[in-house]
Amino acid sequence: GKINKQLFNLNQNKDLSTGEVLVAINSKAALTAAFTLTYFVQNAAWYPTYDIRVKDIDKPLVIDYKANVAQASGEDWTEVKLTLSSADPNLGGQKPAIPVWYLQNYSPPSSYNFQPVSTTTAANPTTKIASGRVLDMQGEPIIGATVMAPDGVVGTYTNENGYYSLQVPYEVPELVVNYMGYMSVKVAAYPNAETRLKEVAQMLDMVVVTGKKTEDYEFAMSSRSAKQIQSQNMRSTPQLAGQVGYGLADKKAEEKSKEVYSLVNEKANPTSVTFEIELPYTVPKDGKTYTVEIKENEVNVRYEYYCAPRFDKDAFLTAQIVGWEEYNLLSGETNLFFEGTYLGKGYLDLEKAGDTLGISLGRDKNVTINRTKAKDFSKNQVLGTNKTEYRAWDIAIRHTKKAPIYLILEDQYPLSTEKEVEITHIEHKDAILNDETGKLTWKLNVEPNKEKKIGFKYSVKSPKYRNFVLD
């Protein structure tokens, strides 16, 4: 398998299709003219990733915005000026027309069944870890296969042993696996999946345009799917990839930027966002991902802690960003750093963001929360054919931070679905009650090294032969 991959790379150039562009010109007089050639190529892609750093909860949050770029267009891009676009030329711009809808009987296929999804991740309860291994039909690992969410905003590549691990939104049911020379496969987004790829009989021709190229080159890639992009390894630094690109060969070469850090011209268009990278980059045609620095933003945020001790006693630090639209962010994977420590990966989900964008920064072990049952109040009483069960919960919060913290703590009353079962709310001091869901919410300011106590009480009256789990 390794030898076949090496042969493919060696034979790649000679198998490329080439073509000529013939231009007919009508001119009233003799002249000297310059031409600009613009063309689209497949196998070029990019997607965003972020390093999110918090030094302390009294300091601003730092978002390091990076692009992961890769291309297998058949030409090396040497010292080019990249333009990254959030638009996707593959989607088209024609608005849909609604046809007449006739109802017809439909029976879904019984074999279409995904495996259960994984549990939520430690850093972000709204995401899950999907992992697995990609092999060929002979059982050999495939190195550098792309594993992407269907919308293409988050993805990864298989390592030297064919393994991958990816954090995706919890509701994503499946991933798309691609590798050059093999058929695409959809795989359920759950842990420890094994995928076998089948070789295709013929490779799709890649197209290049031959001609005299000038010194500068500009490329724009969509931020969507990274299909057909090959990579042999994931680098430890943030990286780049995209689906469709266009190249622009210009007669006049501009002076190259000599700054070490890339200068970026950011433009918000009516339907997309573009980032013009002034610092030239080299992106070889090998399909590997390369990191391009877009920008670094220092953002003033409101830090909040959140805890639901009935399910998880750890406190999660979150950052609330008001006016996040001005930063032109895109949904994508994040690397989380808190107080100089790497906490793991998260996911920036902009589709669910409202006026305020919440970013989960993981667990903070410096905040301890204990939820215990008050034994002196929790008891059972039987009267006639009915029984009444009493429950009380004490919750103690303490932290060792230098400054006060703002904590949102949630618990809940049970809800009854039967008339013969009555639930009485006895006490929930300082909590906001949602009558429809039974949810209790406390909004607390907790001083350092001082214990704060809250709690709530309730009773459940039911026939004495009925048993319920109340703890």
PDB file of all heavy atoms in Angstrom, residues 36-58:
ATOM      1  N   THR A  36      -5.110  39.050 -17.846  1.00  0.00           N
ATOM      2  CA  THR A  36      -5.250  38.397 -16.546  1.00  0.00           C
ATOM      3  C   THR A  36      -6.061  37.118 -16.741  1.00  0.00           C
ATOM      4  O   THR A  36      -7.163  37.170 -17.287  1.00  0.00           O
ATOM      5  CB  THR A  36      -5.958  39.311 -15.531  1.00  0.00           C
ATOM      6  OG1 THR A  36      -5.154  40.475 -15.327  1.00  0.00           O
ATOM      7  CG2 THR A  36      -6.146  38.598 -14.202  1.00  0.00           C
ATOM      8  N   LEU A  37      -5.539  35.997 -16.300  1.00  0.00           N
ATOM      9  CA  LEU A  37      -6.207  34.704 -16.450  1.00  0.00           C
ATOM     10  C   LEU A  37      -6.697  34.234 -15.083  1.00  0.00           C
ATOM     11  O   LEU A  37      -5.904  34.087 -14.151  1.00  0.00           O
ATOM     12  CB  LEU A  37      -5.239  33.680 -17.040  1.00  0.00           C
ATOM     13  CG  LEU A  37      -5.805  32.276 -17.276  1.00  0.00           C
ATOM     14  CD1 LEU A  37      -6.935  32.314 -18.300  1.00  0.00           C
ATOM     15  CD2 LEU A  37      -4.708  31.337 -17.743  1.00  0.00           C
ATOM     16  N   THR A  38      -7.975  34.030 -14.967  1.00  0.00           N
ATOM     17  CA  THR A  38      -8.584  33.563 -13.723  1.00  0.00           C
ATOM     18  C   THR A  38      -9.219  32.205 -13.966  1.00  0.00           C
ATOM     19  O   THR A  38      -9.922  32.021 -14.957  1.00  0.00           O
ATOM     20  CB  THR A  38      -9.653  34.552 -13.235  1.00  0.00           C
ATOM     21  OG1 THR A  38      -9.049  35.836 -13.069  1.00  0.00           O
ATOM     22  CG2 THR A  38     -10.242  34.106 -11.911  1.00  0.00           C
ATOM     23  N   TYR A  39      -8.991  31.254 -13.066  1.00  0.00           N
ATOM     24  CA  TYR A  39      -9.553  29.921 -13.269  1.00  0.00           C
ATOM     25  C   TYR A  39      -9.837  29.254 -11.925  1.00  0.00           C
ATOM     26  O   TYR A  39      -9.230  29.576 -10.908  1.00  0.00           O
ATOM     27  CB  TYR A  39      -8.594  29.044 -14.088  1.00  0.00           C
ATOM     28  CG  TYR A  39      -7.210  28.894 -13.494  1.00  0.00           C
ATOM     29  CD1 TYR A  39      -6.896  27.786 -12.710  1.00  0.00           C
ATOM     30  CD2 TYR A  39      -6.231  29.850 -13.713  1.00  0.00           C
ATOM     31  CE1 TYR A  39      -5.634  27.643 -12.169  1.00  0.00           C
ATOM     32  CE2 TYR A  39      -4.961  29.711 -13.178  1.00  0.00           C
ATOM     33  CZ  TYR A  39      -4.665  28.607 -12.399  1.00  0.00           C
ATOM     34  OH  TYR A  39      -3.420  28.466 -11.850  1.00  0.00           O
ATOM     35  N   PHE A  40     -10.778  28.315 -11.941  1.00  0.00           N
ATOM     36  CA  PHE A  40     -11.146  27.553 -10.753  1.00  0.00           C
ATOM     37  C   PHE A  40     -10.462  26.198 -10.789  1.00  0.00           C
ATOM     38  O   PHE A  40     -10.310  25.604 -11.858  1.00  0.00           O
ATOM     39  CB  PHE A  40     -12.658  27.345 -10.677  1.00  0.00           C
ATOM     40  CG  PHE A  40     -13.413  28.577 -10.297  1.00  0.00           C
ATOM     41  CD1 PHE A  40     -13.837  29.478 -11.254  1.00  0.00           C
ATOM     42  CD2 PHE A  40     -13.717  28.843  -8.967  1.00  0.00           C
ATOM     43  CE1 PHE A  40     -14.533  30.614 -10.910  1.00  0.00           C
ATOM     44  CE2 PHE A  40     -14.403  29.986  -8.618  1.00  0.00           C
ATOM     45  CZ  PHE A  40     -14.812  30.874  -9.584  1.00  0.00           C
ATOM     46  N   VAL A  41     -10.073  25.706  -9.609  1.00  0.00           N
ATOM     47  CA  VAL A  41      -9.512  24.362  -9.503  1.00  0.00           C
ATOM     48  C   VAL A  41     -10.184  23.643  -8.334  1.00  0.00           C
ATOM     49  O   VAL A  41     -10.582  24.257  -7.350  1.00  0.00           O
ATOM     50  CB  VAL A  41      -7.984  24.381  -9.280  1.00  0.00           C
ATOM     51  CG1 VAL A  41      -7.267  24.949 -10.470  1.00  0.00           C
ATOM     52  CG2 VAL A  41      -7.626  25.142  -8.018  1.00  0.00           C
ATOM     53  N   GLN A  42     -10.328  22.339  -8.480  1.00  0.00           N
ATOM     54  CA  GLN A  42     -10.769  21.514  -7.365  1.00  0.00           C
ATOM     55  C   GLN A  42      -9.569  21.180  -6.485  1.00  0.00           C
ATOM     56  O   GLN A  42      -8.424  21.530  -6.776  1.00  0.00           O
ATOM     57  CB  GLN A  42     -11.415  20.235  -7.899  1.00  0.00           C
ATOM     58  CG  GLN A  42     -12.674  20.457  -8.719  1.00  0.00           C
ATOM     59  CD  GLN A  42     -13.846  20.915  -7.869  1.00  0.00           C
ATOM     60  OE1 GLN A  42     -13.898  20.620  -6.672  1.00  0.00           O
ATOM     61  NE2 GLN A  42     -14.760  21.650  -8.475  1.00  0.00           N
ATOM     62  N   ASN A  43      -9.833  20.461  -5.416  1.00  0.00           N
ATOM     63  CA  ASN A  43      -8.772  19.985  -4.516  1.00  0.00           C
ATOM     64  C   ASN A  43      -7.999  21.120  -3.864  1.00  0.00           C
ATOM     65  O   ASN A  43      -6.786  21.052  -3.714  1.00  0.00           O
ATOM     66  CB  ASN A  43      -7.802  19.055  -5.250  1.00  0.00           C
ATOM     67  CG  ASN A  43      -8.490  17.807  -5.751  1.00  0.00           C
ATOM     68  OD1 ASN A  43      -9.621  17.550  -5.383  1.00  0.00           O
ATOM     69  ND2 ASN A  43      -7.811  17.044  -6.577  1.00  0.00           N
ATOM     70  N   ALA A  44      -8.687  22.181  -3.507  1.00  0.00           N
ATOM     71  CA  ALA A  44      -8.093  23.253  -2.705  1.00  0.00           C
ATOM     72  C   ALA A  44      -9.096  23.612  -1.624  1.00  0.00           C
ATOM     73  O   ALA A  44     -10.293  23.684  -1.901  1.00  0.00           O
ATOM     74  CB  ALA A  44      -7.771  24.468  -3.567  1.00  0.00           C
ATOM     75  N   ALA A  45      -8.624  23.818  -0.406  1.00  0.00           N
ATOM     76  CA  ALA A  45      -9.586  23.992   0.681  1.00  0.00           C
ATOM     77  C   ALA A  45      -8.965  24.703   1.872  1.00  0.00           C
ATOM     78  O   ALA A  45      -7.739  24.780   1.999  1.00  0.00           O
ATOM     79  CB  ALA A  45     -10.108  22.627   1.118  1.00  0.00           C
ATOM     80  N   TRP A  46      -9.828  25.235   2.737  1.00  0.00           N
ATOM     81  CA  TRP A  46      -9.372  25.753   4.022  1.00  0.00           C
ATOM     82  C   TRP A  46     -10.508  25.670   5.029  1.00  0.00           C
ATOM     83  O   TRP A  46     -11.686  25.647   4.660  1.00  0.00           O
ATOM     84  CB  TRP A  46      -8.863  27.190   3.916  1.00  0.00           C
ATOM     85  CG  TRP A  46      -9.916  28.270   3.908  1.00  0.00           C
ATOM     86  CD1 TRP A  46     -10.674  28.679   2.857  1.00  0.00           C
ATOM     87  CD2 TRP A  46     -10.318  29.077   5.020  1.00  0.00           C
ATOM     88  NE1 TRP A  46     -11.519  29.687   3.225  1.00  0.00           N
ATOM     89  CE2 TRP A  46     -11.313  29.958   4.551  1.00  0.00           C
ATOM     90  CE3 TRP A  46      -9.925  29.150   6.351  1.00  0.00           C
ATOM     91  CZ2 TRP A  46     -11.937  30.890   5.387  1.00  0.00           C
ATOM     92  CZ3 TRP A  46     -10.530  30.097   7.173  1.00  0.00           C
ATOM     93  CH2 TRP A  46     -11.528  30.944   6.687  1.00  0.00           C
ATOM     94  N   TYR A  47     -10.146  25.554   6.299  1.00  0.00           N
ATOM     95  CA  TYR A  47     -11.128  25.654   7.374  1.00  0.00           C
ATOM     96  C   TYR A  47     -10.468  26.330   8.574  1.00  0.00           C
ATOM     97  O   TYR A  47      -9.253  26.246   8.750  1.00  0.00           O
ATOM     98  CB  TYR A  47     -11.699  24.277   7.760  1.00  0.00           C
ATOM     99  CG  TYR A  47     -10.704  23.291   8.295  1.00  0.00           C
ATOM    100  CD1 TYR A  47     -10.379  23.259   9.654  1.00  0.00           C
ATOM    101  CD2 TYR A  47     -10.076  22.372   7.468  1.00  0.00           C
ATOM    102  CE1 TYR A  47      -9.473  22.355  10.160  1.00  0.00           C
ATOM    103  CE2 TYR A  47      -9.170  21.456   7.961  1.00  0.00           C
ATOM    104  CZ  TYR A  47      -8.874  21.448   9.308  1.00  0.00           C
ATOM    105  OH  TYR A  47      -7.967  20.552   9.803  1.00  0.00           O
ATOM    106  N   PRO A  48     -11.251  27.022   9.398  1.00  0.00           N
ATOM    107  CA  PRO A  48     -10.666  27.781  10.510  1.00  0.00           C
ATOM    108  C   PRO A  48     -10.496  26.937  11.764  1.00  0.00           C
ATOM    109  O   PRO A  48     -11.252  25.991  12.014  1.00  0.00           O
ATOM    110  CB  PRO A  48     -11.699  28.886  10.741  1.00  0.00           C
ATOM    111  CG  PRO A  48     -12.998  28.243  10.374  1.00  0.00           C
ATOM    112  CD  PRO A  48     -12.696  27.280   9.253  1.00  0.00           C
ATOM    113  N   THR A  49      -9.497  27.262  12.554  1.00  0.00           N
ATOM    114  CA  THR A  49      -9.356  26.768  13.922  1.00  0.00           C
ATOM    115  C   THR A  49      -8.923  27.942  14.797  1.00  0.00           C
ATOM    116  O   THR A  49      -8.429  28.954  14.301  1.00  0.00           O
ATOM    117  CB  THR A  49      -8.322  25.638  14.038  1.00  0.00           C
ATOM    118  OG1 THR A  49      -7.083  26.086  13.493  1.00  0.00           O
ATOM    119  CG2 THR A  49      -8.784  24.384  13.331  1.00  0.00           C
ATOM    120  N   TYR A  50      -9.109  27.782  16.102  1.00  0.00           N
ATOM    121  CA  TYR A  50      -8.843  28.880  17.023  1.00  0.00           C
ATOM    122  C   TYR A  50      -8.051  28.368  18.229  1.00  0.00           C
ATOM    123  O   TYR A  50      -8.298  27.270  18.727  1.00  0.00           O
ATOM    124  CB  TYR A  50     -10.148  29.500  17.530  1.00  0.00           C
ATOM    125  CG  TYR A  50     -11.086  29.945  16.441  1.00  0.00           C
ATOM    126  CD1 TYR A  50     -12.029  29.063  15.914  1.00  0.00           C
ATOM    127  CD2 TYR A  50     -11.043  31.238  15.929  1.00  0.00           C
ATOM    128  CE1 TYR A  50     -12.893  29.468  14.912  1.00  0.00           C
ATOM    129  CE2 TYR A  50     -11.901  31.643  14.933  1.00  0.00           C
ATOM    130  CZ  TYR A  50     -12.825  30.758  14.421  1.00  0.00           C
ATOM    131  OH  TYR A  50     -13.688  31.146  13.425  1.00  0.00           O
ATOM    132  N   ASP A  51      -7.097  29.170  18.660  1.00  0.00           N
ATOM    133  CA  ASP A  51      -6.495  29.002  19.974  1.00  0.00           C
ATOM    134  C   ASP A  51      -7.144  30.037  20.886  1.00  0.00           C
ATOM    135  O   ASP A  51      -7.023  31.251  20.631  1.00  0.00           O
ATOM    136  CB  ASP A  51      -4.984  29.217  19.932  1.00  0.00           C
ATOM    137  CG  ASP A  51      -4.250  28.046  19.314  1.00  0.00           C
ATOM    138  OD1 ASP A  51      -4.897  27.018  19.065  1.00  0.00           O
ATOM    139  OD2 ASP A  51      -3.040  28.164  19.068  1.00  0.00           O
ATOM    140  N   ILE A  52      -7.823  29.577  21.916  1.00  0.00           N
ATOM    141  CA  ILE A  52      -8.501  30.478  22.852  1.00  0.00           C
ATOM    142  C   ILE A  52      -7.760  30.413  24.182  1.00  0.00           C
ATOM    143  O   ILE A  52      -7.649  29.338  24.790  1.00  0.00           O
ATOM    144  CB  ILE A  52      -9.976  30.094  23.023  1.00  0.00           C
ATOM    145  CG1 ILE A  52     -10.698  30.257  21.676  1.00  0.00           C
ATOM    146  CG2 ILE A  52     -10.638  30.922  24.104  1.00  0.00           C
ATOM    147  CD1 ILE A  52     -12.162  29.908  21.731  1.00  0.00           C
ATOM    148  N   ARG A  53      -7.246  31.558  24.605  1.00  0.00           N
ATOM    149  CA  ARG A  53      -6.394  31.611  25.790  1.00  0.00           C
ATOM    150  C   ARG A  53      -6.979  32.558  26.837  1.00  0.00           C
ATOM    151  O   ARG A  53      -7.401  33.666  26.513  1.00  0.00           O
ATOM    152  CB  ARG A  53      -4.983  32.069  25.418  1.00  0.00           C
ATOM    153  CG  ARG A  53      -4.319  31.192  24.353  1.00  0.00           C
ATOM    154  CD  ARG A  53      -2.944  31.727  23.961  1.00  0.00           C
ATOM    155  NE  ARG A  53      -2.382  30.961  22.865  1.00  0.00           N
ATOM    156  CZ  ARG A  53      -1.671  29.850  23.017  1.00  0.00           C
ATOM    157  NH1 ARG A  53      -1.433  29.397  24.238  1.00  0.00           N
ATOM    158  NH2 ARG A  53      -1.198  29.199  21.972  1.00  0.00           N
ATOM    159  N   VAL A  54      -6.964  32.086  28.079  1.00  0.00           N
ATOM    160  CA  VAL A  54      -7.386  32.903  29.221  1.00  0.00           C
ATOM    161  C   VAL A  54      -6.268  32.850  30.249  1.00  0.00           C
ATOM    162  O   VAL A  54      -5.943  31.775  30.778  1.00  0.00           O
ATOM    163  CB  VAL A  54      -8.701  32.384  29.833  1.00  0.00           C
ATOM    164  CG1 VAL A  54      -9.071  33.224  31.044  1.00  0.00           C
ATOM    165  CG2 VAL A  54      -9.821  32.404  28.807  1.00  0.00           C
ATOM    166  N   LYS A  55      -5.657  34.001  30.502  1.00  0.00           N
ATOM    167  CA  LYS A  55      -4.588  34.057  31.491  1.00  0.00           C
ATOM    168  C   LYS A  55      -5.156  34.087  32.900  1.00  0.00           C
ATOM    169  O   LYS A  55      -4.635  33.453  33.809  1.00  0.00           O
ATOM    170  CB  LYS A  55      -3.708  35.283  31.245  1.00  0.00           C
ATOM    171  CG  LYS A  55      -2.469  35.342  32.117  1.00  0.00           C
ATOM    172  CD  LYS A  55      -1.583  36.515  31.736  1.00  0.00           C
ATOM    173  CE  LYS A  55      -0.323  36.540  32.590  1.00  0.00           C
ATOM    174  NZ  LYS A  55       0.563  37.684  32.235  1.00  0.00           N
ATOM    175  N   ASP A  56      -6.223  34.859  33.093  1.00  0.00           N
ATOM    176  CA  ASP A  56      -6.890  34.959  34.386  1.00  0.00           C
ATOM    177  C   ASP A  56      -8.288  35.497  34.120  1.00  0.00           C
ATOM    178  O   ASP A  56      -8.541  36.125  33.086  1.00  0.00           O
ATOM    179  CB  ASP A  56      -6.129  35.887  35.331  1.00  0.00           C
ATOM    180  CG  ASP A  56      -6.420  35.565  36.795  1.00  0.00           C
ATOM    181  OD1 ASP A  56      -7.458  34.910  37.047  1.00  0.00           O
ATOM    182  OD2 ASP A  56      -5.629  35.950  37.668  1.00  0.00           O
ATOM    183  N   ILE A  57      -9.215  35.260  35.053  1.00  0.00           N
ATOM    184  CA  ILE A  57     -10.598  35.665  34.819  1.00  0.00           C
ATOM    185  C   ILE A  57     -10.798  37.169  34.966  1.00  0.00           C
ATOM    186  O   ILE A  57     -11.900  37.657  34.735  1.00  0.00           O
ATOM    187  CB  ILE A  57     -11.569  34.908  35.752  1.00  0.00           C
ATOM    188  CG1 ILE A  57     -11.222  35.154  37.223  1.00  0.00           C
ATOM    189  CG2 ILE A  57     -11.569  33.434  35.442  1.00  0.00           C
ATOM    190  CD1 ILE A  57     -12.228  34.554  38.186  1.00  0.00           C
ATOM    191  N   ASP A  58      -9.756  37.899  35.358  1.00  0.00           N
ATOM    192  CA  ASP A  58      -9.847  39.353  35.357  1.00  0.00           C
ATOM    193  C   ASP A  58      -9.129  39.969  34.163  1.00  0.00           C
ATOM    194  O   ASP A  58      -8.947  41.174  34.090  1.00  0.00           O
ATOM    195  CB  ASP A  58      -9.299  39.934  36.664  1.00  0.00           C
ATOM    196  CG  ASP A  58      -7.832  39.572  36.897  1.00  0.00           C
ATOM    197  OD1 ASP A  58      -7.302  38.757  36.119  1.00  0.00           O
ATOM    198  OD2 ASP A  58      -7.248  40.097  37.854  1.00  0.00           O
TER     199      ASP A  58
END
